[in-house]
Amino acid sequence: MKKRYWAFLIGSWCLSVGMQAAKVDTLSVHSDAMNKEVQVITICPDKAMAGEKCPVLYLLHGYGGNAGTWLGIKPELPRIADKEGIIFVCPDGKNSWYWDSPLNKEYRYETFVSKELVNYIDKNFTTKAERGGRAVTGLSMGGHGSLWLSIRHKDVFGGGGSMSGGLDIRPFPNNWEMKKQLGEEASNKQRWDEHTVINQLDKIKNGDLAVIIDCGCDDFFLEVNKAVHEKLLKKKINHDFIIRPGGHTGRYWNNAIDYQILFSVSSLINRNNKMDKIVFITGASSGIGAGCARKFASQGASLILNARNVNKLSALKEELEKQYGAKIYLLPFDVRDRKAATSALESLPKEWQSIDILVNNAGLVIGTDKEQEGSLDEWDIVIDTNIKALLAMTRLIVPGMVERKRGHIINIGSIAGDAAYPGGSVYCATKAAVKALSDGLRIDLVDTPLRVTNIKPAGGNKFFSCSFPGR
């Protein structure tokens, strides 16, 4: 059965490769540190072969794997390489856990991947030869290896990812040949403490590294992944953390790698291509609005931030200027006050008037009273904020976009607009209105280059709590 499975995967891979322009090569790269040749598979997009400098994503395999593991799991990698303009590099790391073993001189894979292989790839391929053009990710043992390498060599890699990674090795002292590289855990506790990812997190601070961690809810490594996530939160280090249905399987990694590639492209690689845009965000002082501000700032956009809470806006401005060097203009006013909104927009300096992206995020919900028991005054506040203010901001800003023939309107709705919940009929109705207004605006702008997007976040404490008065 296994032979048939692998024959099917290899056949699929060959068919996929044959249909793509990306070039797949199997190389032997010499390691001075280990005095041996190491097999490496590279997937080079047509852009790189034509001379365009492309970013590199290093893919590390798990225990028992080899250089061909990732092509077996994801036969579509050549097509993805061409689509995204990424060079994929898949080294054979044996069962090394990507350490420089303190016991075995033939296992110095930290030095090989982070130094020797990177130098070889930059020398022989048209790469973006800088940390902002490199990321590393992997599965299982390779998930440990990718974070181990990226944290310890953040001068080399701009991002590190992990799928089902063994991010704390200590609960598994008798598994996967780790003691061959570190010795018995019982008599080498300090060495084991020093060679586990969770104890390397003190080497980074927020902004040093783009980090993404992904683990299935049925994976035996889930708890150690949660522990790393909690430690990163405690250290206030921004990162993406994903838990989805699935276990420690090839099927899970076939899906997970898509998220890792997307993360690398959006959070790391595209960071080099600065967004020369002016973005106006309402309700920007907390929650989704503040999250949007951080994301746009990381991409190099200039931001106009609106909210009622001046102190929170000022703190966010200071954070974004310090972390991203972002250009920020604060425009505090209550979006329900049409005169204040008009006056504020008219007061913008000339260099801030050509708004490219409008994020209509301001919104709230008050209470959970039943419809037959609710307060008419509170409903007025919710409707004025969630519907009428959105309409006012759209009416004030979009005509300029039409005149300039460029612009994007992003309306933050909610899945509550698709299905009501008890005690939330008015809020749900306002979010259904956001969808209708987005659809209508899209139709009205059909003969222009402008785009309209309605984003509908799901419920959750982090997002929903920011919808209450006080923003």
Side-chain angles (χ1 to χ4, degrees), residues 265-327:
V265 170
S266 63
S267 296
L268 172 64
I269 294 164
N270 282 347
R271 189 180 298 172
N272 298 320
N273 303 319
K274 294 298 184 181
M275 179 186 287
D276 186 22
K277 304 287 184 183
I278 296 177
V279 182
F280 187 105
I281 305 173
T282 65
S285 61
S286 62
I288 295 176
C292 290
R294 293 186 179 99
K295 190 65 175 179
F296 279 117
S298 74
Q299 302 300 304
S302 300
L303 305 180
I304 302 172
L305 303 182
N306 157 263
R308 292 175 296 169
N309 193 317
V310 178
N311 290 334
K312 285 187 176 181
L313 277 183
S314 298
L316 180 60
K317 178 177 185 287
E318 183 179 351
E319 173 195 332
L320 300 181
E321 288 175 339
K322 182 178 179 181
Q323 183 167 346
Y324 302 110
K327 294 180 180 179

Side-chain angles (χ1 to χ4, degrees), residues 1-10 72-73 250-251:
M1 185 67 182
K2 287 185 178 180
K3 290 183 178 179
R4 290 181 182 177
Y5 174 72
W6 285 108
F8 170 75
L9 285 179
I10 293 170
I73 290 172
R251 181 178 181 180

Side-chain angles (χ1 to χ4, degrees), residues 101-158:
S101 170
L103 302 181
N104 190 343
K105 293 182 179 179
E106 294 184 357
Y107 280 71
R108 298 187 60 80
Y109 284 88
E110 178 177 351
T111 295
F112 174 71
V113 175
S114 66
K115 182 178 179 180
E116 295 175 329
L117 182 57
V118 167
N119 289 341
Y120 178 91
I121 295 298
D122 285 346
K123 182 179 179 180
N124 291 278
F125 293 81
T126 53
T127 68
K128 291 184 177 179
E130 56 189 27
R131 67 180 299 274
R134 300 188 200 99
V136 56
T137 188
L139 66 90
S140 193
M141 177 188 82
H144 171 280
S146 60
L147 290 187
W148 174 264
L149 296 175
S150 58
I151 291 170
R152 292 168 61 84
H153 301 278
K154 56 182 182 287
D155 59 321
V156 176
F157 300 103

Side-chain angles (χ1 to χ4, degrees), residues 126-351:
T126 53
T127 68
K128 291 184 177 179
E130 56 189 27
R131 67 180 299 274
R134 300 188 200 99
V136 56
T137 188
L139 66 90
S140 193
M141 177 188 82
H144 171 280
S146 60
L147 290 187
W148 174 264
L149 296 175
S150 58
I151 291 170
R152 292 168 61 84
H153 301 278
K154 56 182 182 287
D155 59 321
V156 176
F157 300 103
S162 171
M163 293 162 276
S164 311
L167 304 185
D168 188 350
I169 61 172
R170 295 169 298 177
F172 312 95
N174 297 313
N175 297 89
W176 311 299
E177 300 184 21
M178 290 186 288
K179 57 188 176 183
K180 286 187 177 181
Q181 310 305 328
L182 301 179
E184 294 285 347
E185 190 269 344
S187 55
N188 295 278
K189 289 185 178 297
Q190 182 177 349
R191 184 181 293 161
W192 280 66
D193 287 343
E194 293 172 348
H195 283 77
T196 189
V197 162
I198 196 169
N199 286 341
Q200 297 294 313
L201 301 181
D202 290 335
K203 288 182 168 62
I204 58 172
K205 62 182 184 300
N206 192 38
D208 281 350
L209 197 67
V211 177
I212 178 171
I213 299 170
D214 186 335
C215 193
C217 60
D218 298 322
D219 198 299
F220 50 79
F221 279 143
L222 179 60
E223 293 307 314
V224 297
N225 277 258
K226 286 182 177 179
V228 169
H229 166 58
E230 291 298 330
K231 190 168 182 178
L232 287 169
L233 288 178
K234 187 175 181 180
K235 288 175 60 61
K236 299 186 184 328
I237 295 176
N238 294 339
H239 63 287
D240 279 20
F241 181 61
I242 302 170
I243 299 177
R244 292 177 291 109
H248 206 82
T249 65
R251 181 178 181 180
Y252 187 88
W253 302 321
N254 173 276
N255 181 255
I257 187 60
D258 293 334
Y259 292 85
Q260 301 280 324
I261 294 169
L262 177 62
F263 179 84
S264 297
V265 170
S266 63
S267 296
L268 172 64
I269 294 164
N270 282 347
R271 189 180 298 172
N272 298 320
N273 303 319
K274 294 298 184 181
M275 179 186 287
D276 186 22
K277 304 287 184 183
I278 296 177
V279 182
F280 187 105
I281 305 173
T282 65
S285 61
S286 62
I288 295 176
C292 290
R294 293 186 179 99
K295 190 65 175 179
F296 279 117
S298 74
Q299 302 300 304
S302 300
L303 305 180
I304 302 172
L305 303 182
N306 157 263
R308 292 175 296 169
N309 193 317
V310 178
N311 290 334
K312 285 187 176 181
L313 277 183
S314 298
L316 180 60
K317 178 177 185 287
E318 183 179 351
E319 173 195 332
L320 300 181
E321 288 175 339
K322 182 178 179 181
Q323 183 167 346
Y324 302 110
K327 294 180 180 179
I328 310 292
Y329 191 94
L330 299 186
L331 207 62
F333 62 85
D334 188 335
V335 290
R336 294 175 298 166
D337 188 335
R338 194 173 304 166
K339 289 184 178 179
T342 302
S343 176
L345 287 167
E346 289 176 348
S347 73
L348 283 172
K350 184 176 180 180
E351 64 269 23

Side-chain angles (χ1 to χ4, degrees), residues 23 25-30 38-45 48 52-60 86-92 112-130 133-135 156-157:
K23 183 179 181 182
D25 274 330
T26 302
L27 312 174
S28 289
V29 179
H30 182 75
V38 179
Q39 188 178 79
V40 178
I41 289 179
T42 60
I43 305 171
C44 187
E52 181 177 334
K53 292 183 178 180
C54 292
V56 183
L57 181 58
Y58 291 81
L59 301 178
L60 308 185
I86 298 176
I87 300 171
F88 293 114
V89 178
C90 310
D92 184 355
F112 174 71
V113 175
S114 66
K115 182 178 179 180
E116 295 175 329
L117 182 57
V118 167
N119 289 341
Y120 178 91
I121 295 298
D122 285 346
K123 182 179 179 180
N124 291 278
F125 293 81
T126 53
T127 68
K128 291 184 177 179
E130 56 189 27
R134 300 188 200 99
V156 176
F157 300 103

